[in-house]
Amino acid sequence: MAAEAARVLDYGEYAPYGAGAIGAEYDEPGVEAPEESAPAVRRAPAAAAVEAAQTARGVSLFSVCGAVVVAALMVFVVLAQVKYNEVASETVRLTAQLERLTEQGKMLEIAYESAIDMKEVERYARDVLGMSKPDASQVSVIQNITEDKAEIIDPGSDGNTLRGLGDFISSLVAYFR
């Protein structure tokens, strides 16, 4: 049986599963099998283009643009964070300044109220200016029995109603401007 050749089954690279197209080769001792070239496979042009694109190791323009946009957004985020920190520190500084000025305003208001003393004003008026409080003989009260009223007569209104209507409309327009 050593001289007898063993049979080897070869399914081939493109054979579908379960297909009956099996190639048979016999290995004979000392005899070398001839090399066979792979059969040429016909592919559709679209499939060839897809395969060529898959095998190409280049970077797409969309990926480059996306990376540039992401990098720009990251720079904007960093710059916005820096600006936010500046504004936050300015806010803290201005809040402290507002508190100081509020306290100073309260102190000035207290100083102002304490500066105006009515007893001091009366003393100054009496001693320096020579003023005195009025007595009952110097005070007189006027009483009016009738009500006050006034009537304004326009000397130019001779009964010209169109002129009066025009004046009324112009006053309305002037009011709503």
Side-chain angles (χ1 to χ4, degrees):
M1 281 216 198
E4 196 175 309
R7 185 173 183 208
V8 177
L9 300 178
D10 182 22
Y11 286 97
E13 189 176 334
Y14 299 104
Y17 180 75
I22 299 174
E25 288 185 13
Y26 297 97
D27 284 337
E28 296 179 16
V31 178
E32 198 171 301
E35 280 190 32
E36 291 182 19
S37 63
V41 178
R42 277 190 123 197
R43 294 186 185 112
V50 169
E51 185 176 322
Q54 289 175 350
T55 58
R57 298 289 181 207
V59 179
S60 71
L61 180 63
F62 183 73
S63 298
V64 171
C65 290
V68 167
V69 168
V70 167
L73 288 176
M74 289 174 66
V75 167
F76 286 137
V77 166
V78 168
L79 291 177
Q81 185 66 31
V82 168
K83 186 67 174 176
Y84 172 76
N85 288 340
E86 289 175 3
V87 169
S89 64
E90 182 74 11
T91 302
V92 168
R93 186 184 66 78
L94 290 175
T95 302
Q97 183 180 2
L98 177 65
E99 289 174 1
R100 276 195 323 271
L101 291 175
T102 303
E103 281 296 318
Q104 185 179 7
K106 288 178 183 177
M107 298 296 272
L108 288 173
E109 189 174 338
I110 291 170
Y112 173 74
E113 289 175 358
S114 66
I116 300 175
D117 185 19
M118 290 308 290
K119 291 181 182 179
E120 182 64 29
V121 171
E122 285 180 17
R123 186 196 62 75
Y124 180 78
R126 185 178 55 247
D127 296 342
V128 175
L129 299 175
M131 301 174 110
S132 65
K133 287 188 178 182
D135 57 354
S137 66
Q138 293 174 329
V139 176
S140 61
V141 178
I142 301 173
Q143 293 182 353
N144 190 2
I145 300 171
T146 61
E147 293 181 14
D148 290 338
K149 68 178 184 178
E151 186 175 329
I152 300 173
I153 299 174
D154 186 15
S157 63
D158 297 339
N160 190 352
T161 57
L162 290 178
R163 182 173 167 210
L165 183 63
D167 290 343
F168 175 72
I169 290 174
S170 65
S171 67
L172 281 178
V173 168
Y175 177 75
F176 286 112
R177 279 190 185 178

mmCIF file with all atom_site columns, all heavy atoms in Angstrom, residues 80-91:
data_model
loop_
_atom_site.group_PDB
_atom_site.id
_atom_site.type_symbol
_atom_site.label_atom_id
_atom_site.label_alt_id
_atom_site.label_comp_id
_atom_site.label_asym_id
_atom_site.label_entity_id
_atom_site.label_seq_id
_atom_site.pdbx_PDB_ins_code
_atom_site.Cartn_x
_atom_site.Cartn_y
_atom_site.Cartn_z
_atom_site.occupancy
_atom_site.B_iso_or_equiv
_atom_site.pdbx_formal_charge
_atom_site.auth_seq_id
_atom_site.auth_comp_id
_atom_site.auth_asym_id
_atom_site.auth_atom_id
_atom_site.pdbx_PDB_model_num
ATOM 1  N N   . ALA A 1 80 ? -13.147 79.597 26.176 1.00 0.00 ? 80 ALA A N   1
ATOM 2  C CA  . ALA A 1 80 ? -14.340 79.975 26.934 1.00 0.00 ? 80 ALA A CA  1
ATOM 3  C C   . ALA A 1 80 ? -14.123 79.749 28.429 1.00 0.00 ? 80 ALA A C   1
ATOM 4  O O   . ALA A 1 80 ? -14.572 80.550 29.256 1.00 0.00 ? 80 ALA A O   1
ATOM 5  C CB  . ALA A 1 80 ? -15.549 79.170 26.449 1.00 0.00 ? 80 ALA A CB  1
ATOM 6  N N   . GLN A 1 81 ? -13.424 78.695 28.780 1.00 0.00 ? 81 GLN A N   1
ATOM 7  C CA  . GLN A 1 81 ? -13.130 78.431 30.189 1.00 0.00 ? 81 GLN A CA  1
ATOM 8  C C   . GLN A 1 81 ? -12.212 79.509 30.757 1.00 0.00 ? 81 GLN A C   1
ATOM 9  O O   . GLN A 1 81 ? -12.404 79.966 31.879 1.00 0.00 ? 81 GLN A O   1
ATOM 10 C CB  . GLN A 1 81 ? -12.485 77.049 30.344 1.00 0.00 ? 81 GLN A CB  1
ATOM 11 C CG  . GLN A 1 81 ? -12.254 76.631 31.772 1.00 0.00 ? 81 GLN A CG  1
ATOM 12 C CD  . GLN A 1 81 ? -13.540 76.416 32.533 1.00 0.00 ? 81 GLN A CD  1
ATOM 13 O OE1 . GLN A 1 81 ? -14.552 76.038 31.986 1.00 0.00 ? 81 GLN A OE1 1
ATOM 14 N NE2 . GLN A 1 81 ? -13.506 76.671 33.823 1.00 0.00 ? 81 GLN A NE2 1
ATOM 15 N N   . VAL A 1 82 ? -11.229 79.938 29.972 1.00 0.00 ? 82 VAL A N   1
ATOM 16 C CA  . VAL A 1 82 ? -10.335 81.011 30.419 1.00 0.00 ? 82 VAL A CA  1
ATOM 17 C C   . VAL A 1 82 ? -11.120 82.296 30.618 1.00 0.00 ? 82 VAL A C   1
ATOM 18 O O   . VAL A 1 82 ? -10.969 82.987 31.632 1.00 0.00 ? 82 VAL A O   1
ATOM 19 C CB  . VAL A 1 82 ? -9.188  81.202 29.393 1.00 0.00 ? 82 VAL A CB  1
ATOM 20 C CG1 . VAL A 1 82 ? -8.413  82.479 29.658 1.00 0.00 ? 82 VAL A CG1 1
ATOM 21 C CG2 . VAL A 1 82 ? -8.264  79.999 29.400 1.00 0.00 ? 82 VAL A CG2 1
ATOM 22 N N   . LYS A 1 83 ? -11.993 82.613 29.664 1.00 0.00 ? 83 LYS A N   1
ATOM 23 C CA  . LYS A 1 83 ? -12.812 83.830 29.777 1.00 0.00 ? 83 LYS A CA  1
ATOM 24 C C   . LYS A 1 83 ? -13.751 83.729 30.979 1.00 0.00 ? 83 LYS A C   1
ATOM 25 O O   . LYS A 1 83 ? -13.952 84.711 31.700 1.00 0.00 ? 83 LYS A O   1
ATOM 26 C CB  . LYS A 1 83 ? -13.612 84.032 28.479 1.00 0.00 ? 83 LYS A CB  1
ATOM 27 C CG  . LYS A 1 83 ? -14.376 85.304 28.422 1.00 0.00 ? 83 LYS A CG  1
ATOM 28 C CD  . LYS A 1 83 ? -13.439 86.482 28.360 1.00 0.00 ? 83 LYS A CD  1
ATOM 29 C CE  . LYS A 1 83 ? -14.232 87.756 28.162 1.00 0.00 ? 83 LYS A CE  1
ATOM 30 N NZ  . LYS A 1 83 ? -13.390 88.926 28.180 1.00 0.00 ? 83 LYS A NZ  1
ATOM 31 N N   . TYR A 1 84 ? -14.323 82.557 31.203 1.00 0.00 ? 84 TYR A N   1
ATOM 32 C CA  . TYR A 1 84 ? -15.203 82.357 32.349 1.00 0.00 ? 84 TYR A CA  1
ATOM 33 C C   . TYR A 1 84 ? -14.440 82.597 33.655 1.00 0.00 ? 84 TYR A C   1
ATOM 34 O O   . TYR A 1 84 ? -14.963 83.227 34.571 1.00 0.00 ? 84 TYR A O   1
ATOM 35 C CB  . TYR A 1 84 ? -15.787 80.941 32.331 1.00 0.00 ? 84 TYR A CB  1
ATOM 36 C CG  . TYR A 1 84 ? -16.543 80.594 33.586 1.00 0.00 ? 84 TYR A CG  1
ATOM 37 C CD1 . TYR A 1 84 ? -17.809 81.106 33.815 1.00 0.00 ? 84 TYR A CD1 1
ATOM 38 C CD2 . TYR A 1 84 ? -15.973 79.776 34.554 1.00 0.00 ? 84 TYR A CD2 1
ATOM 39 C CE1 . TYR A 1 84 ? -18.496 80.811 34.970 1.00 0.00 ? 84 TYR A CE1 1
ATOM 40 C CE2 . TYR A 1 84 ? -16.656 79.484 35.709 1.00 0.00 ? 84 TYR A CE2 1
ATOM 41 C CZ  . TYR A 1 84 ? -17.921 79.987 35.912 1.00 0.00 ? 84 TYR A CZ  1
ATOM 42 O OH  . TYR A 1 84 ? -18.593 79.694 37.062 1.00 0.00 ? 84 TYR A OH  1
ATOM 43 N N   . ASN A 1 85 ? -13.211 82.084 33.744 1.00 0.00 ? 85 ASN A N   1
ATOM 44 C CA  . ASN A 1 85 ? -12.411 82.296 34.957 1.00 0.00 ? 85 ASN A CA  1
ATOM 45 C C   . ASN A 1 85 ? -12.106 83.772 35.164 1.00 0.00 ? 85 ASN A C   1
ATOM 46 O O   . ASN A 1 85 ? -12.129 84.267 36.291 1.00 0.00 ? 85 ASN A O   1
ATOM 47 C CB  . ASN A 1 85 ? -11.119 81.488 34.884 1.00 0.00 ? 85 ASN A CB  1
ATOM 48 C CG  . ASN A 1 85 ? -11.373 80.004 35.045 1.00 0.00 ? 85 ASN A CG  1
ATOM 49 O OD1 . ASN A 1 85 ? -12.399 79.584 35.563 1.00 0.00 ? 85 ASN A OD1 1
ATOM 50 N ND2 . ASN A 1 85 ? -10.438 79.196 34.576 1.00 0.00 ? 85 ASN A ND2 1
ATOM 51 N N   . GLU A 1 86 ? -11.821 84.503 34.074 1.00 0.00 ? 86 GLU A N   1
ATOM 52 C CA  . GLU A 1 86 ? -11.579 85.940 34.186 1.00 0.00 ? 86 GLU A CA  1
ATOM 53 C C   . GLU A 1 86 ? -12.825 86.665 34.688 1.00 0.00 ? 86 GLU A C   1
ATOM 54 O O   . GLU A 1 86 ? -12.750 87.527 35.559 1.00 0.00 ? 86 GLU A O   1
ATOM 55 C CB  . GLU A 1 86 ? -11.156 86.515 32.838 1.00 0.00 ? 86 GLU A CB  1
ATOM 56 C CG  . GLU A 1 86 ? -9.774  86.111 32.391 1.00 0.00 ? 86 GLU A CG  1
ATOM 57 C CD  . GLU A 1 86 ? -9.450  86.607 30.991 1.00 0.00 ? 86 GLU A CD  1
ATOM 58 O OE1 . GLU A 1 86 ? -10.293 87.312 30.389 1.00 0.00 ? 86 GLU A OE1 1
ATOM 59 O OE2 . GLU A 1 86 ? -8.359  86.296 30.498 1.00 0.00 ? 86 GLU A OE2 1
ATOM 60 N N   . VAL A 1 87 ? -13.975 86.321 34.110 1.00 0.00 ? 87 VAL A N   1
ATOM 61 C CA  . VAL A 1 87 ? -15.230 86.969 34.513 1.00 0.00 ? 87 VAL A CA  1
ATOM 62 C C   . VAL A 1 87 ? -15.569 86.618 35.961 1.00 0.00 ? 87 VAL A C   1
ATOM 63 O O   . VAL A 1 87 ? -16.036 87.475 36.727 1.00 0.00 ? 87 VAL A O   1
ATOM 64 C CB  . VAL A 1 87 ? -16.374 86.566 33.551 1.00 0.00 ? 87 VAL A CB  1
ATOM 65 C CG1 . VAL A 1 87 ? -17.722 86.981 34.082 1.00 0.00 ? 87 VAL A CG1 1
ATOM 66 C CG2 . VAL A 1 87 ? -16.143 87.175 32.183 1.00 0.00 ? 87 VAL A CG2 1
ATOM 67 N N   . ALA A 1 88 ? -15.317 85.385 36.369 1.00 0.00 ? 88 ALA A N   1
ATOM 68 C CA  . ALA A 1 88 ? -15.604 84.978 37.744 1.00 0.00 ? 88 ALA A CA  1
ATOM 69 C C   . ALA A 1 88 ? -14.728 85.741 38.730 1.00 0.00 ? 88 ALA A C   1
ATOM 70 O O   . ALA A 1 88 ? -15.205 86.211 39.769 1.00 0.00 ? 88 ALA A O   1
ATOM 71 C CB  . ALA A 1 88 ? -15.400 83.467 37.901 1.00 0.00 ? 88 ALA A CB  1
ATOM 72 N N   . SER A 1 89 ? -13.451 85.902 38.404 1.00 0.00 ? 89 SER A N   1
ATOM 73 C CA  . SER A 1 89 ? -12.566 86.643 39.315 1.00 0.00 ? 89 SER A CA  1
ATOM 74 C C   . SER A 1 89 ? -12.957 88.121 39.352 1.00 0.00 ? 89 SER A C   1
ATOM 75 O O   . SER A 1 89 ? -12.918 88.752 40.413 1.00 0.00 ? 89 SER A O   1
ATOM 76 C CB  . SER A 1 89 ? -11.108 86.478 38.903 1.00 0.00 ? 89 SER A CB  1
ATOM 77 O OG  . SER A 1 89 ? -10.888 87.050 37.619 1.00 0.00 ? 89 SER A OG  1
ATOM 78 N N   . GLU A 1 90 ? -13.355 88.678 38.209 1.00 0.00 ? 90 GLU A N   1
ATOM 79 C CA  . GLU A 1 90 ? -13.813 90.074 38.171 1.00 0.00 ? 90 GLU A CA  1
ATOM 80 C C   . GLU A 1 90 ? -15.099 90.234 38.992 1.00 0.00 ? 90 GLU A C   1
ATOM 81 O O   . GLU A 1 90 ? -15.284 91.242 39.688 1.00 0.00 ? 90 GLU A O   1
ATOM 82 C CB  . GLU A 1 90 ? -14.056 90.497 36.711 1.00 0.00 ? 90 GLU A CB  1
ATOM 83 C CG  . GLU A 1 90 ? -14.483 91.925 36.539 1.00 0.00 ? 90 GLU A CG  1
ATOM 84 C CD  . GLU A 1 90 ? -13.358 92.918 36.747 1.00 0.00 ? 90 GLU A CD  1
ATOM 85 O OE1 . GLU A 1 90 ? -12.185 92.511 36.817 1.00 0.00 ? 90 GLU A OE1 1
ATOM 86 O OE2 . GLU A 1 90 ? -13.658 94.113 36.850 1.00 0.00 ? 90 GLU A OE2 1
ATOM 87 N N   . THR A 1 91 ? -15.977 89.243 38.932 1.00 0.00 ? 91 THR A N   1
ATOM 88 C CA  . THR A 1 91 ? -17.216 89.286 39.706 1.00 0.00 ? 91 THR A CA  1
ATOM 89 C C   . THR A 1 91 ? -16.922 89.267 41.200 1.00 0.00 ? 91 THR A C   1
ATOM 90 O O   . THR A 1 91 ? -17.537 90.012 41.973 1.00 0.00 ? 91 THR A O   1
ATOM 91 C CB  . THR A 1 91 ? -18.117 88.093 39.334 1.00 0.00 ? 91 THR A CB  1
ATOM 92 O OG1 . THR A 1 91 ? -18.375 88.137 37.933 1.00 0.00 ? 91 THR A OG1 1
ATOM 93 C CG2 . THR A 1 91 ? -19.422 88.117 40.095 1.00 0.00 ? 91 THR A CG2 1
#
